[in-house]
């Protein structure tokens, strides 16, 4: 039925446009008869100057319109700094119209402002920046910036809300050139009102190092800048939404913004029990990518590979980031609240930005997991886990940044960050080990943890430019302090088959765990750049860091009313110091878009530690390791005319073992899978080579990107799996292997099918991974051939309908060299569509459909998940500030979270019971401090 509705609207659209078509083409030049590249050329209706079509001239000043309906038309050409040119077109008898060359006259400064205001074009080029006039793209009143971006040619928004411009994902969003919640994309796109936007600008921002030295290092960050209307800067804007529905479901959210030339203030918040967090894994990655651990604010100078050491001690839990933490709330059932404040101040050479974000979630996960493990003799066994886990997480994050240009040559940047998190979990699980129908073991366990963590970080960066062009000095210092306290209980009741080992951890347990961890990281960097000749630069850098940490983990066996006994086998006190020094140099050639850098660095790690049962007890052992490595680095890139670019890079990476893997204690929180540290672990050494090329044509909106990355592991850290032949309990202990490989090509191709109406984007490619695993101290080899492809179509034929369609195909073939009988294929396919309709009398209708399928024929696994969400809403009031919305989520009641994965000697499948069908009725009020003029 849904497809029939789509076809009906498409037929109406095409029928309404079934007129005789013509091609219009010509050239734009200035009065000196020189071509004007990237001139905006518009086709207008003579009656009311309504926009019919638009394009940009190419680098030779030529333009072309295809498939234009034969009708009375005006043609208009506008170019910055020139008087606009306009004339009425005379329709030809055939289907081809060559317009006489249009010559534009330069304008005086006095007329400039007048001309600019009367010569708006939907799209224009300003140097390397593409600028969109937001008023030329129609979106419903109250729409977000994200909905506006979907309308812009050359820009698309995927089903997860990521913005892709010119074929590349946007990494940073600014508002009037200033950071907005740390530069996170979705904070801006999903919370700013489209009606308050004047212009959208897209460009490749240079790295902080390139801005400092004046030498382009080829590192680019796709950036989207939102320019607000002057009316919006004179008042406040935002929105408030509240909705309730079936099964006591509810949601509420709000945003408030007040900007002027000096100050930016934003407040956002939300609360709901419908699994909506406003943040996803991609958000966390974007925060990590645009915040302090990048070159600019981290102060880590020099090329990447074997870089600075950042040490954390709690297994990489997400609350350890200084940025807004990731909480995947799409699965299970959750109740969530969050609030954030962003304030920026910019006056003169002083730039201050700040943000605070609080989030809290109460999530229940009801999971059914299955894992089949393959043994060297060709046999296998299966473990199942039916569990319910309750997580209550609360996070506070503060970020401050101050930059002051003391004068034209000296700049200082100071950042401050703080975080506080608490996490409470309760897990109840029933697990089984199944060798055959006659041989099974089972375990019921109940684990609970209560953890809090806190950290503070301060960084100062000083940069100096000398009188000699290209000579630069920079220095930085940073201190990071953290502390975490955990208390947990674990209970297990076991029905064990074939156990003859009295020391097996797969037995009845009743234990209390406490852990108090602290660390302090001091780091510093220096860099000096000296121009050798006009096109050559010598770059030298030094990195230093030292981390001191303590881990105090105590495990007690509970004896009922008899008290608790310290378990000396599982308890450990561990203090350690990691000292890192890196000295490097490189020579860079930069000339006319070509850039070549050759460098080498010497990196030394000193790891010292000692461990005992308790803080004051006798030593059980020490860790004293030194690693010295020389890491070469080669990078090349070249920019060419027509927004074309090609590049290549080789780097050697050295990563020391994590302290989690070095710590000599056993973690038996899951007695089926015991984890143990390895003090003899060696660093991971990788060689990575990549080549890439890409182009974007702002005239045709065609973009093309190819990337090939190859990684070889000279030494790789993997988990040695020791599987007990009787109990089937697996003990993991990190070890080093050699020979792992990754081969990952990627192709992205975007192009218009009907310019400004229908566009397509294709992406993906095959990949190959060779994994080396240690199973009972023997190396095994697993090869995975993966095919992952995506296709998207954006269809906006007229203002009242938008259709976005996409699909993905994934096929992973896993082959086990030592056990080929276990070879298997995993199929993941999906499709999505999003339709927006504007109906008469300010009614709107949206439909979103997602279909996913998971299949593994070898294990008889085949799951299909169709999700249909429908939305109908109406704008109310003269100013259309009110919106009444009826929402239906998961109409087919099929929602569930499914994952499958084939590893080095196992395959897993998991299903999580998740919130399904519900309905909401809500109302939204769009706040406007001053009346925003309607778009024409």
């Amino acid at each position: 039925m849904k497809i029939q509705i789509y076809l009906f609207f498409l037929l109406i659209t095409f029928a309404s446009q079934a007129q005789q078509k013509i091609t219009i083409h010509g050239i734009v030049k200035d009065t000196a008869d020189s071509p004007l590249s990237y001139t905006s050329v518009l086709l207008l209706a003579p009656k009311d100057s309504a926009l019919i079509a638009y394009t940009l001239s190419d680098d030779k000043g030529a333009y072309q319109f295809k498939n234009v309906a034969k009708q009375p038309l005006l043609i208009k050409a506008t170019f910055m700094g020139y008087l606009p040119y306009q004339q009425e077109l005379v329709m030809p008898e055939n289907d081809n119209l060559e317009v006489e060359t249009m010559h534009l006259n330069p304008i005086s400064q006095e007329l400039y402002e007048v001309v600019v205001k009367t010569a708006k074009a939907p799209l224009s080029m300003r140097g390397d920046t593409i600028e969109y006039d937001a008023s030329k793209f129609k979106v419903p009143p109250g729409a977000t910036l994200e909905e506006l971006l979907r309308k812009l040619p050359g820009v698309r928004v995927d089903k997860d809300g990521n913005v892709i411009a010119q074929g590349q994902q946007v990494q940073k969003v600014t508002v009037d050139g200033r950071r907005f919640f740390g530069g996170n994309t979705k904070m801006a796109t999903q919370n700013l009102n489209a009606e308050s936007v004047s212009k959208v600008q897209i460009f490749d921002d240079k790295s902080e190092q390139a801005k400092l030295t004046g030498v382009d290092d080829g590192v680019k960050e796709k950036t989207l800048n939102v320019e607000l209307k002057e009316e919006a800067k004179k008042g406040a804007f935002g929105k408030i939404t509240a909705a309730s529905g079936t099964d006591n479901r509810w949601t509420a959210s709000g945003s408030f913004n007040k900007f002027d030339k000096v100050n930016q203030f934003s407040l956002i918040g939300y609360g709901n029990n419908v699994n909506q967090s406003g943040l996803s894994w991609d958000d966390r990655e974007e925060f990590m990518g645009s915040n302090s651990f990048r070159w600019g604010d981290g102060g880590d100078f020099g090329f990447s590979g074997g870089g600075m050491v950042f040490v954390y001690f709690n297994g990489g839990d997400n609350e350890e980031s200084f940025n807004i933490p990731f909480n995947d709330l799409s699965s299970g059932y959750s109740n969530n609240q969050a609030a954030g404040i962003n304030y920026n101040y910019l006056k003169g050479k002083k730039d201050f930005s700040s943000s605070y974000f609080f989030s809290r979630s109460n999530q229940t996960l009801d999971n059914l997991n299955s894992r089949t493990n393959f043994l060297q003799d060709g046999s296998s066994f299966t473990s199942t886990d039916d569990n319910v886990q309750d997580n209550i997480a609360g996070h506070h994050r503060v970020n401050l940044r101050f930059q002051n240009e003391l004068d034209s040559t000296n700049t200082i940047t100071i950042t401050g960050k703080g975080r506080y998190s608490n996490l409470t979990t309760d897990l109840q699980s029933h697990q089984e080990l199944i060798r055959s129908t006659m041989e099974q073991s089972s375990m019921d366990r109940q684990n609970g943890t209560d953890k809090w963590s806190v950290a503070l970080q301060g960084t100062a960066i000083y940069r100096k430019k000398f009188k000699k062009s290209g000579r630069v000095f920079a220095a930085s210092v940073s201190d990071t302090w953290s502390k975490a306290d955990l208390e947990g209980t674990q209970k297990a009741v076991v029905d064990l088959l074939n156990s003859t080992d009295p020391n097996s951890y797969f037995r009845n347990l009743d234990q209390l765990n406490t852990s108090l961890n602290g660390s302090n990281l001091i780091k510093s960097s220096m860099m000096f750049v000296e121009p050798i000749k006009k096109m050559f630069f010598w770059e030298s850098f030094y990195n230093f860091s030292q981390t001191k940490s303590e881990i105090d983990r105590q495990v007690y066996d509970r004896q009922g009313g008899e008290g608790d006994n310290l378990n000396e086998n599982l308890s450990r006190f561990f203090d350690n110091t990691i000292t890192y020094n890196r000295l490097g140099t490189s020579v860079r050639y930069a000339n006319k878009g070509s850039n070549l850098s050759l460098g080498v660095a010497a990196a030394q790690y000193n790891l010292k530690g000692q461990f005992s049962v308790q803080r004051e007890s006798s030593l059980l052992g020490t860790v004293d390791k030194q690693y010295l490595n020389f890491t070469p680095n080669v990078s090349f890139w070249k920019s060419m005319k027509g927004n074309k670019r090609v590049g290549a890079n080789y780097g050697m990476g050295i990563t020391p073992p994590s302290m989690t893997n070095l710590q000599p204690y056993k973690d038996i929180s899951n007695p089926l899978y015991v984890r143990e540290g390895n003090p003899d672990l060696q660093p991971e050494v990788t060689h990575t080579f990549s080549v890439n090329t890409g182009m974007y044509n702002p005239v045709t909106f065609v973009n093309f990107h190819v990337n090939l990355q190859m990684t070889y592991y000279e030494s790789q850290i993997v988990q040695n799996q020791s599987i007990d032949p009787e109990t089937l309990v697996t003990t993991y202990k990190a070890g080093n292997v050699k020979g792992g490989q990754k081969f990952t090509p990627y192709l992205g191709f975007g192009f218009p099918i009907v310019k400004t109406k229908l566009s397509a984007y294709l992406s993906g490619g095959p990949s190959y991974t060779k994994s080396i695993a240690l199973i009972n101290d023997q190396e095994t080899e697993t090869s995975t051939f993966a095919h992952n492809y995506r296709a998207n179509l954006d269809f906006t034929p007229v203002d009242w309908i938008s259709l976005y369609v996409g699909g993905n195909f994934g096929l992973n073939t896993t082959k086990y060299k030592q056990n080929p009988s276990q070879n298997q294929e995993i199929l993941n396919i999906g499709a999505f569509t999003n339709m927006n309709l504007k109906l008469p009398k300010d009614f709107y209708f949206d439909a979103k459909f997602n279909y996913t399928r998971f299949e593994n024929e070898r294990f008889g696994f085949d799951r299909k998940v169709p999700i249909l969400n429908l939305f109908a809403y109406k704008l109310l009031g003269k100013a259309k500030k009110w919106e009444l919305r009826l929402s239906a989520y998961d109409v087919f009641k099929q929602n569930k979270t499914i994952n499958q994965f084939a590893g080095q000697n196992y395959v897993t499948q998991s299903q999580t019971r998740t919130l399904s069908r519900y309905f909401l009725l809500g109302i939204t009020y769009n706040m406007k401090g001053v009346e925003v003029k309607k778009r024409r």
Side-chain angles (χ1 to χ4, degrees), residues 181 267-270 337-341 356-360 395 397:
F181 280 99
L267 175 66
I268 65 172
Y270 66 82
Q337 303 86 41
I341 299 175
Y356 164 77
F357 197 88
F358 163 77
S359 62
R360 183 185 185 278
H395 305 286
R397 295 293 184 274

Side-chain angles (χ1 to χ4, degrees), residues 161-179:
N162 301 306
V163 181
I164 293 89
Q166 304 166 14
Q168 296 176 296
Q169 183 168 324
V170 170
Q171 299 167 291
K172 181 173 64 177
V173 172
T174 57
V175 179
D176 286 336
R178 287 180 267 181
R179 299 171 182 231

Side-chain angles (χ1 to χ4, degrees), residues 129-132 199-203 223-227:
T129 299
I130 296 181
E131 183 175 279
Y132 299 88
K199 299 173 184 176
V200 175
Q201 299 163 336
I202 296 173
F203 56 95
T223 301
L224 186 150
N225 180 57
V226 179
E227 210 170 283

Side-chain angles (χ1 to χ4, degrees), residues 204 493 505 800 873:
D204 288 323
V493 178
Y505 292 104
W800 54 269
Y873 57 101

Side-chain angles (χ1 to χ4, degrees), residues 663-678:
Q663 293 165 23
Y665 68 80
K666 292 184 178 181
D667 178 0
I668 60 169
S669 56
N670 184 346
L672 286 180
Y673 299 98
V674 179
R675 297 187 177 275
E676 184 178 359
N678 179 9

Side-chain angles (χ1 to χ4, degrees), residues 420-434:
Y420 176 83
S421 299
N422 58 72
L423 177 66
T424 301
T425 64
D426 181 75
L427 172 69
Q428 299 187 47
S429 167
H430 175 74
Q431 294 178 270
E432 293 183 350
L433 286 176
I434 305 170

